[in-house]
Amino acid sequence: MTLPQQPLVSIDTVPFLFRNGVLEVVLAKRIFEPFLGEAALPGVLLSPNERLAEAAVRALKSKAGIDGGSIRTITGAGVFDNPDRDPRGPTLSIVHAVILDPETPGLNGGAIPVRAADVGELPFDHVAIIARTAGVVLDALWIDQDLTRALLGDRFTTASAARLVRELAAAARRPEPVTSNLGRDLAKSPALVKTTDAAAPAGRGRPAAGWSWK
């Protein structure tokens, strides 16, 4: 019996980092056809006997030069099954959201950080993949503590958290969310404790509320 041709399995990573109030996604220039020299998400084909998260780490290293030690957390973010996304043939894309340390070395080398809400045209449906993954991360904030902590760090302010929410919504192509009551919501979280060492913006005005994880 002749088996039908099966689609290849691609592992694509969406590497996010949040620094200076901006959510960035890390792209890399392609070194092979198709789309040679164009920026794209780091991705690889799944190897036999390889776990999905292992392939995601390999994609970051081989395509963007980012070592696994720079990964704060990694989580599955969905599957893309558009059979026309790759000109080489049907390829199933399993997507992982990867949160990088803002101090990740090599981000000024082969890796290309850009504001996630401002990505231009990209191959392989990568614009849609970034938008959907940003939405997945936004919906998981405060529910997935590891993911939220990886983005905001061990200590953060209400203003920084509100900025992250707005940046994720913009990257997900969603309307700007209302964040005026975010401080009250954070105060209700059993995972957070309010700190007293937050500095006032530019040394003036009322200090922004600070938070740390229990």
Side-chain angles (χ1 to χ4, degrees):
M1 181 179 65
T2 301
L3 295 176
Q5 182 182 3
Q6 299 296 316
L8 297 174
V9 177
S10 171
I11 307 301
D12 289 315
T13 65
V14 182
F16 286 132
L17 65 155
F18 182 60
R19 55 182 178 179
N20 302 321
V22 176
L23 180 73
E24 296 176 314
V25 63
V26 178
L27 308 175
K29 284 189 176 181
R30 288 187 53 77
I31 59 175
F32 300 112
E33 293 287 1
F35 309 112
L36 176 67
E38 296 187 26
L41 291 171
V44 293
L45 294 178
L46 185 67
S47 297
N49 302 319
E50 186 177 35
R51 293 183 178 273
L52 301 181
E54 293 172 346
V57 173
R58 178 167 62 87
L60 283 174
K61 178 65 175 178
S62 63
K63 299 300 178 66
I66 296 174
D67 187 83
S70 297
I71 298 175
R72 286 187 169 181
T73 192
I74 181 170
T75 183
V79 177
F80 273 70
D81 59 357
N82 177 9
D84 299 322
R85 61 182 295 273
D86 192 324
R88 293 167 294 186
T91 306
L92 192 69
S93 174
I94 300 177
V95 181
H96 286 74
V98 179
I99 310 303
L100 298 176
D101 189 320
E103 303 301 324
T104 297
L107 288 182
N108 294 321
I112 307 171
V114 298
R115 183 174 178 244
D118 294 338
V119 293
E121 294 185 7
L122 298 175
F124 306 119
D125 281 350
H126 283 182
V127 173
I129 288 176
I130 291 170
R132 185 187 295 181
T133 304
V136 169
V137 174
L138 177 59
D139 292 339
L141 281 183
W142 318 116
I143 298 171
D144 186 332
Q145 181 175 324
D146 290 339
L147 180 67
T148 309
R149 187 169 184 168
L151 282 162
L152 287 171
D154 293 334
R155 304 172 77 88
F156 61 94
T157 65
T158 304
S160 177
R163 180 66 182 175
L164 173 61
V165 170
R166 292 194 294 269
E167 284 285 296
L168 281 167
R173 308 296 192 264
R174 296 184 184 179
E176 181 169 318
V178 177
T179 58
S180 56
N181 292 324
L182 182 58
R184 297 176 187 175
D185 294 335
L186 296 179
K188 299 175 184 177
S189 172
L192 296 171
V193 59
K194 196 170 186 178
T195 60
T196 58
D197 56 352
R204 301 192 303 270
R206 186 176 181 180
W211 306 90
S212 64
W213 299 90
K214 291 184 181 178

